[in-house]
Amino acid sequence: MDLYLLKFPYRKVLLPLAKRMKFVDPDILGYLATAIALGTGFCYVFAPQKPELLLISVVLTLFRMTLNTIDGVIAIERGNLRLKGEIVNALPDRYSDIFVVMGIGLSALCNPFLGMLGLSSMFLVSYTGMLSKAIGANWQHQGPLGKVERLILIMIFSILAYCQLTGKIGNVGKFGYFEWLMILFVILGQITVVNRLKAQLKECAVLDWIKYRNIDKKVVVVYDSQTGNTKKVAESAAEALEVEAVSVNEVTRDELKSAELVIFAVPHLGKRIIPEKTKEIVENLKVKNYALLTTSGMPIVRNFSYKRCVDFFKKKLGQKAVKSINIKGYHAKAKTYKGHPDDKDLTSAYLFAAESYKRL
């Protein structure tokens, strides 16, 4: 449900308009979006008396989303990406959220207690997303309940509430549609908080490793890559250990034997297990310690072939890996896991290398 990504194609659609509006200060559009959100909140308050206001609220929400998108496009076009812009972009948006959800919560269409819970959950989601900025990490946008998803849900439930008020449909269970919406906000919101916290903790681990790492043992990161996926994750692992990733075609057996830690980065290939060149390298090879970083792109099957890969290395090298990980990679034939390895995968590879080194 990661609809946040839709924002970027939408930016492309709005690009021609943004170029013609470069004379407009993007901050003004942000303030205008907040004013529209205030009006949207009033629509919900008075909707029980005038149901058509719910349809107007949908239109206003779409307009607000467009303004929130186009102000960023204009800022980029003007080369006006200032630190102040981050504040103007974030704070008015929080006010907008208050106006809309408070309007729903104060209306006769929603239990005020559920409205308060929904508003609180929404704030926790936003707060958790911005929290990592305080430690110098990236703003977190993990779902399933980001801003875009939240606004789309509000529009959908506004239409359902309109149909209910005009007698086209009835309630579902004991709650009204906006009450169900607040329940969804609470459930999906807490899942989102957990997902964002997980991502933040990963970034914290990366920053801590960069700050305190002390690489005083010889490490070799060797990869065998057929489509480029494995090379990417190998380079991320090598970056963590301040070394260069080296191809199996370039590494020597003496280099591997002398290293305190060898990280093998390989794709696993079903019945063939791993590429032939890597098989040749590990045949009768003795290493002090090794870690296994694998990539695969075939759903379900990848779990079984990963185990075979782990067992193969254990048998050939005569010892267990200090650590192993199985990372998704785009499968060119099956067209599965498109976009992988992505930033999350590369971060996982980075931390995998750091944890492997710590175990020496």
Side-chain angles (χ1 to χ4, degrees), residues 310-354:
V310 170
D311 292 341
F312 175 85
F313 273 86
K314 180 181 177 181
K315 179 180 178 181
K316 291 297 181 181
L317 299 177
Q319 59 179 307
K320 288 177 61 177
V322 296
K323 191 173 177 63
S324 61
I325 189 173
N326 189 20
I327 290 179
K328 295 174 182 175
Y330 175 63
H331 197 291
K333 292 183 178 179
K335 308 298 182 185
T336 51
Y337 298 130
K338 187 175 182 179
H340 288 273
D342 57 15
D343 289 342
K344 294 179 184 177
D345 298 322
L346 297 180
T347 300
S348 294
Y350 185 101
L351 292 175
F352 163 80

Side-chain angles (χ1 to χ4, degrees), residues 33-306:
T34 303
I36 289 171
L38 178 60
T40 306
F42 279 111
C43 284
Y44 289 115
V45 172
F46 297 109
Q49 293 78 39
K50 295 185 177 181
E52 60 273 12
L53 288 174
L54 291 172
L55 298 181
I56 293 174
S57 73
V58 172
V59 175
L60 291 176
T61 300
L62 283 170
F63 191 28
R64 173 193 163 191
M65 292 174 71
T66 300
L67 289 175
N68 285 154
T69 302
I70 204 170
D71 66 351
V73 178
I74 290 176
I76 293 171
E77 285 297 306
R78 293 176 59 167
N80 200 24
L81 298 174
R82 302 161 296 159
L83 290 176
K84 174 193 169 186
E86 288 202 41
I87 298 174
V88 173
N89 186 50
L91 187 58
D93 233 13
R94 304 292 76 78
Y95 274 104
S96 296
D97 291 336
I98 292 173
F99 296 149
V100 172
V101 179
M102 186 176 289
I104 294 173
L106 292 176
S107 76
L109 299 173
C110 184
N111 181 297
F113 177 71
L114 289 175
M116 181 179 66
L117 287 179
L119 183 64
S120 300
S121 183
M122 180 191 65
F123 261 112
L124 282 172
V125 168
S126 297
Y127 174 75
T128 309
M130 292 187 291
L131 184 60
S132 54
K133 295 289 286 185
I135 59 171
N138 294 316
W139 198 315
Q140 304 300 323
H141 297 288
Q142 290 78 10
L145 194 66
K147 174 186 171 182
V148 176
E149 294 90 345
R150 186 168 63 243
L151 292 178
I152 288 176
L153 281 174
I154 287 174
M155 288 189 289
I156 290 173
F157 277 79
S158 296
I159 294 172
L160 291 173
Y162 170 78
C163 292
Q164 188 271 326
L165 284 177
T166 54
K168 294 179 176 65
I169 58 175
N171 277 345
V172 178
K174 62 182 291 187
F175 295 119
Y177 288 103
F178 282 128
E179 291 168 334
W180 282 116
L181 176 63
M182 294 302 112
I183 292 171
L184 268 180
F185 274 10
V186 172
I187 296 172
L188 297 179
Q190 297 316 298
I191 295 173
T192 302
V193 167
V194 171
N195 289 339
R196 293 186 177 188
L197 279 175
K198 285 180 179 178
Q200 285 175 351
L201 290 175
K202 275 191 172 185
E203 291 212 27
C204 287
V206 170
L207 294 173
D208 285 341
W209 173 251
I210 292 172
K211 185 175 181 180
Y212 298 110
R213 68 183 165 190
N214 179 26
I215 310 298
D216 57 2
K217 297 181 178 68
K218 183 179 178 181
V219 180
V220 174
V221 178
V222 56
Y223 67 88
D224 195 337
S225 186
Q226 298 187 327
T227 63
N229 292 333
T230 311
K231 182 180 180 181
K232 288 180 182 178
V233 296
E235 288 173 342
S236 185
E239 180 185 352
L241 301 176
E242 299 181 298
V243 296
E244 293 290 330
V246 57
S247 167
V248 288
N249 297 313
E250 300 171 354
V251 74
T252 66
R253 294 172 69 87
D254 288 339
E255 286 180 288
L256 300 177
K257 289 178 181 179
S258 63
E260 291 294 327
L261 173 67
V262 177
I263 295 181
F264 291 99
V266 295
H268 46 90
L269 309 172
K271 291 182 179 180
R272 288 194 292 140
I273 306 179
I274 57 174
E276 292 301 322
K277 184 62 179 179
T278 300
K279 284 184 179 179
E280 294 175 14
I281 289 287
V282 299
E283 193 70 40
N284 298 318
L285 178 67
K286 295 295 181 182
V287 295
K288 296 176 182 177
N289 298 284
Y290 77 96
L292 186 59
L293 172 59
T294 68
T295 59
S296 58
M298 187 63 72
I300 303 176
V301 175
R302 64 191 298 270
N303 298 316
F304 299 100
S305 58
Y306 168 63

